[in-house]
């Protein structure tokens, strides 16, 4: 049975300059592989303290994962200290050397002797090539570190997350699968939801979360969205895929109305894809979100294919002037009203000459306006032949209300586009 | 001499569901106080493993800080385990109890017996009241944990960052100052810069960073901005303030042209304040940022006093239609050009009836357009009597280019507003 712990080497962590995101990332990956993590530690880049930590760790864990301390300078002593601990030497790895040389040649940069040191690896280790930097990762195992112990695995990774993360998913996950006592494959999917709270979604599928082991179901909530990650770790790929299909069908039957996408999708990317598929164009009219809705859409590469622009109509006179919301509507119902949302959506659709107009008007707070409560938001959706308005009540601070309002506008647009498909 | 370590208790951390932001926050706070942190650890909520960690920690540290595991359920055993370790009992704290009762009464919620358990603290400890939740923090010290040791301090904090952080700055920093061998006060300021890279700024003041001890200078870079935190830990408050003043004057003399604000300021809040002070109004015209500039401004509470709105003119025909950029200008110079930026800034100023018009047009990538390179951005600033355009070249991916372009637009506006002040 693998008992894992993660040891980060780095002064920046101990000074509070950066957060230990590597420990989170690796823990999450190991959880998917069914490997339990019992400890995280952070230790300074100091051979005595790394050695003392090794003395503690080998007594309680047999999969000991190091991050950081593989840089080119003489201060980076992780490799040397671990090699000494298991009485091995450092040797030059040809594959790592080739990869480092390539890194420099594609960038027309000069390689230094220090960089050559980065191709030195612990004798007998398996190498994880670094596709996004210099220091390779490595895995080495040793029998009988203490009397009667089974194999103890030491894994070493470079510290920068943009190097470590792709290295881990590409090379380390297969390596770990190969050392699991039973040969297994990992298969995972992410289901993305909006318009439903985490606890409500969890309650509706609690029995599945509690009982399903293939795939397991892990819910996460972030910024007004909820995701479910389904992970299946099995010997039989066909059976895994059938089980995955069954669980997805069951989840969709219960909460499918809130499902907007899969895996790498974002709300905005699904909107851009959906509007593009119908060969339509769209525009936005924003009051309380001040441009956030437009920005979320414009973050998607290629958004310009469907998104022509929009009006940030923060002041009432701008709603009148730029979107044609009648003065009487603003006076009678207020800027935060169903009527204004409708005029804004129709107005921007017409004036920006698009097929779809999306509008948001509401009270983001901290102060209420027009005697309307903080968190009250109207969303308008104008299509070529009809317009609908939804009103929602959002909790949280100004920033959370703005973000949720923009995301719900995208979510309801996705749902409206899917109708009749 | 205080040697600190931070131990987080929590299964969510070991499963990779959350990142250990508490360790970062506390390490950063301790660095300001001149207290060195030698280790971070994460351990599951399990009495044997917490006990084993204590056995390790008391041998190497004398300021042992725990986060998490103070919840109301029977699983949360941190308090009990530490109390047992130092042979003390848990006692009801009246102040903590009062604070918990108040929490429930102001929310008209029912208090349970479990919540009462949260007012139980380790005998003899000093309490840190929780102003944003239930579980109080506490500090307790013990002599001679091992033979001949000096005092060992144990500090316990609730896990949620929004409870821990204000508790730490309000109550714990004064407590820690009181146990430092010499009585000292902490004084700190943050200087905020934009328009200059972290390494360039550091190079220009490297000698100050290396030699100044009162105040110390800590640079951080984030999202196109650089901050310098000056921290002064001294006995003599007057002398500290004079030293702070001297260092600030020296830094300002070298890199003051890039300084935009202090402490809690943001670029957008400084813009809103600066435009408001002059009793002016402003509007925005955005192409490649798609609404981000407007959104950054609208995130500032009270932005509506100066920001009337703007046009997201993503498509060329919208720049023509909504901002009056002449077709010939778009055809001759392209949408990403000095001329277009100028027409956009002047157009939005006029059509949105404001005193200031701000425009952004550029290539955010990943693909280049109009045979212009990714990262080329023009910023337009139109004031009542003149218009200026700046061109910039930004690195990074699409999102980074969008964010930096919007921030630089705000930064140059701040600088322009400050001229002649």
């Amino acid at each position: 049975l693998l008992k894992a712990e993660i040891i980060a080497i780095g002064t920046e962590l101990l000074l509070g300059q950066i957060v230990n995101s590597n420990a989170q990332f690796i823990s999450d990956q190991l959880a998917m592989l069914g490997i339990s993590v019992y400890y995280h530690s952070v230790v300074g880049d100091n051979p005595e303290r790394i050695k003392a930590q090794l003395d503690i760790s080998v007594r309680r864990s047999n999969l000991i994962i190091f991050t950081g301390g593989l840089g080119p300078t003489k201060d980076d002593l992780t490799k040397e200290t671990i090699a000494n601990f298991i009485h091995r030497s450092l040797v030059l790895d040809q594959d790592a050397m080739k990869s480092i040389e390539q890194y420099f040649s594609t960038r027309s940069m000069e390689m230094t002797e220090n960089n050559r040191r980065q191709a030195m690896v612990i004798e007998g280790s398996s190498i994880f090539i670094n596709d996004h930097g210099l220091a390779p990762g490595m895995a080495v195992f040793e029998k009988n570190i203490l009397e009667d112990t089974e194999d103890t695995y030491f894994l070493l990774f470079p510290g920068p997350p943009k190097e470590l993360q792709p290295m881990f998913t590409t090379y380390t996950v297969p390596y770990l699968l190969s050392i699991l006592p039973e040969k297994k494959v990992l298969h995972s999917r992410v289901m993305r939801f909006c318009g439903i709270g985490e606890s409500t979604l969890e309650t509706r599928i609690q029995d599945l979360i509690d009982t399903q082991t293939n795939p397991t179901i892990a819910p996460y909530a972030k910024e007004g969205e909820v995701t479910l990650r389904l992970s299946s770790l099995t010997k039989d790929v066909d059976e895994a895929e059938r089980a995955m299909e069954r669980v997805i069908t069951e989840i969709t039957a219960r909460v499918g109305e809130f499902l907007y996408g899969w895996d790498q999708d974002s709300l905005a990317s699904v909107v851009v894809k959906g509007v593009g598929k119908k060969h339509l164009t769209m525009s936005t009219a924003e009051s309380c979100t001040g441009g956030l809705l437009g920005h979320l859409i414009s973050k998607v590469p290629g958004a310009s294919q469907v998104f022509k622009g929009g009006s940030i109509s923060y002041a009432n006179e701008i709603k009148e002037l730029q979107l044609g919301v009648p003065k009487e509507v603003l006076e009678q119902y207020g800027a935060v009203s169903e009527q204004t949302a409708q005029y804004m959506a129709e107005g921007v659709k017409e004036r920006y000459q698009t097929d779809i107009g999306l509008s948001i008007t509401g009270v983001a707070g901290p102060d209420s306006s027009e005697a309307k409560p903080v968190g009250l938001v109207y969303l308008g959706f104008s299509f070529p032949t009809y317009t609908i308005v939804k009103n929602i009540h959002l909790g949280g601070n100004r920033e959370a209300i703005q973000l949720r309002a923009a995301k719900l506008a995208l979510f309801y647009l996705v749902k409206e586009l899917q109708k009749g498909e």
Side-chain angles (χ1 to χ4, degrees), chain A residues 350-417:
Chain A
E350 190 190 314
R351 296 194 178 199
Y352 279 70
Q353 302 182 345
T354 58
D355 305 303
I356 301 169
L358 222 64
S359 72
I360 303 181
T361 182
V363 189
D367 301 319
S368 61
S369 66
E370 302 179 347
K372 282 165 185 163
V374 172
L376 174 64
V377 178
Y378 291 88
L379 308 172
F381 306 83
S382 186
F383 297 94
T385 56
Y386 66 100
T387 301
I388 54 172
V389 175
K390 288 187 180 283
N391 73 327
I392 53 179
H393 296 263
L394 301 172
N397 62 15
R398 183 177 177 89
E399 225 174 307
I401 289 171
Q402 291 178 325
L403 187 60
R404 282 170 192 181
K407 288 201 166 178
L408 283 170
L410 293 170
F411 173 67
Y412 290 124
L413 177 58
V414 169
K415 288 289 139 181
E416 203 59 30
L417 288 169

Side-chain angles (χ1 to χ4, degrees), chain A residues 115-404:
Chain A
N115 295 127
R116 233 171 287 272
R117 284 183 67 232
Q118 297 190 277
M120 300 292 284
V121 304
I122 297 173
E123 199 181 354
S125 57
S126 311
I127 299 305
F128 306 130
I129 290 292
N130 191 338
D131 293 325
H132 298 84
L134 295 171
M138 65 198 87
V140 59
F141 65 92
E142 183 72 43
K143 279 186 204 299
N144 300 109
I145 294 247
L146 307 174
E147 266 176 53
D148 303 326
T149 54
E150 303 278 309
D151 289 353
T152 300
Y153 291 84
F154 299 88
L155 270 58
L156 284 70
F157 294 95
K162 71 177 180 21
E163 300 179 21
L164 180 148
Q165 293 186 11
M167 180 186 288
F168 201 99
T169 48
T170 311
Y171 304 114
T172 310
V173 168
Y175 174 84
L176 290 170
L177 285 168
S178 80
I179 65 169
L180 286 180
E182 281 190 286
K183 294 300 161 240
K184 289 182 175 176
V185 287
L186 176 68
H187 187 49
S188 86
R189 295 223 64 185
V190 176
M191 303 178 79
R192 299 187 170 273
F193 299 86
C194 190
I196 184 170
E198 182 186 23
S199 59
T200 310
L201 187 141
E202 275 192 50
T203 307
R204 293 218 199 154
I205 60 164
Q206 194 62 56
D207 55 318
L208 301 176
I209 294 175
D210 291 343
T211 59
Q212 287 299 318
T213 53
N214 174 34
T216 57
I217 304 172
Y220 296 83
K222 200 179 168 190
E223 297 179 341
E225 302 185 31
V226 191
T227 62
L228 294 177
R229 192 176 58 201
L230 315 184
S231 308
S232 172
L233 188 69
T234 53
K235 281 162 85 165
D236 184 331
V237 182
D238 286 352
E239 166 50 22
E241 279 173 5
R242 277 193 301 274
M244 184 75 86
E245 209 46 61
R246 269 197 304 275
V247 171
I248 287 173
T249 305
E250 182 63 32
I251 292 172
T252 308
R254 298 190 193 184
V255 287
E257 62 187 303
F258 305 103
L259 180 70
Y260 78 80
W262 298 87
D263 304 321
Q264 304 302 316
D265 286 341
S266 71
L267 278 161
S269 76
V270 174
V271 161
V272 168
K273 220 185 302 166
V275 175
K277 215 173 82 184
K278 290 188 189 302
H279 306 287
L280 301 175
T281 58
M282 65 180 292
S283 56
T284 54
E286 302 181 61
S287 183
C288 64
T289 46
L292 176 59
L293 177 60
H295 178 59
L296 290 178
I297 298 167
S298 77
K299 272 161 83 170
V300 180
S304 56
Q305 298 300 315
V306 303
F307 179 53
K308 289 174 75 174
S311 176
I312 304 170
S313 47
Y314 217 55
N316 276 4
E317 70 233 60
I318 301 298
K319 295 182 183 78
E320 228 183 295
L321 203 62
Q322 295 295 330
L323 297 169
V325 182
K327 201 187 184 80
E328 313 84 66
V329 166
L330 289 166
E331 280 169 0
Q332 192 179 343
Y333 303 104
V336 180
S337 66
E338 187 180 329
Q339 291 79 0
T340 298
Q342 173 165 353
Y343 274 105
M344 285 171 69
E346 290 173 349
V348 78
K349 179 182 74 174
E350 190 190 314
R351 296 194 178 199
Y352 279 70
Q353 302 182 345
T354 58
D355 305 303
I356 301 169
L358 222 64
S359 72
I360 303 181
T361 182
V363 189
D367 301 319
S368 61
S369 66
E370 302 179 347
K372 282 165 185 163
V374 172
L376 174 64
V377 178
Y378 291 88
L379 308 172
F381 306 83
S382 186
F383 297 94
T385 56
Y386 66 100
T387 301
I388 54 172
V389 175
K390 288 187 180 283
N391 73 327
I392 53 179
H393 296 263
L394 301 172
N397 62 15
R398 183 177 177 89
E399 225 174 307
I401 289 171
Q402 291 178 325
L403 187 60
R404 282 170 192 181

Side-chain angles (χ1 to χ4, degrees), chain A residues 49-69:
Chain A
R49 285 200 281 276
I50 297 174
K51 164 78 168 60
Q53 182 63 50
L54 276 164
D55 278 325
I56 293 167
S57 298
V58 294
R59 282 173 171 75
R60 63 189 189 188
S61 307
N62 54 12
L63 176 60
I64 303 174
I65 300 177
F66 288 86
T67 64

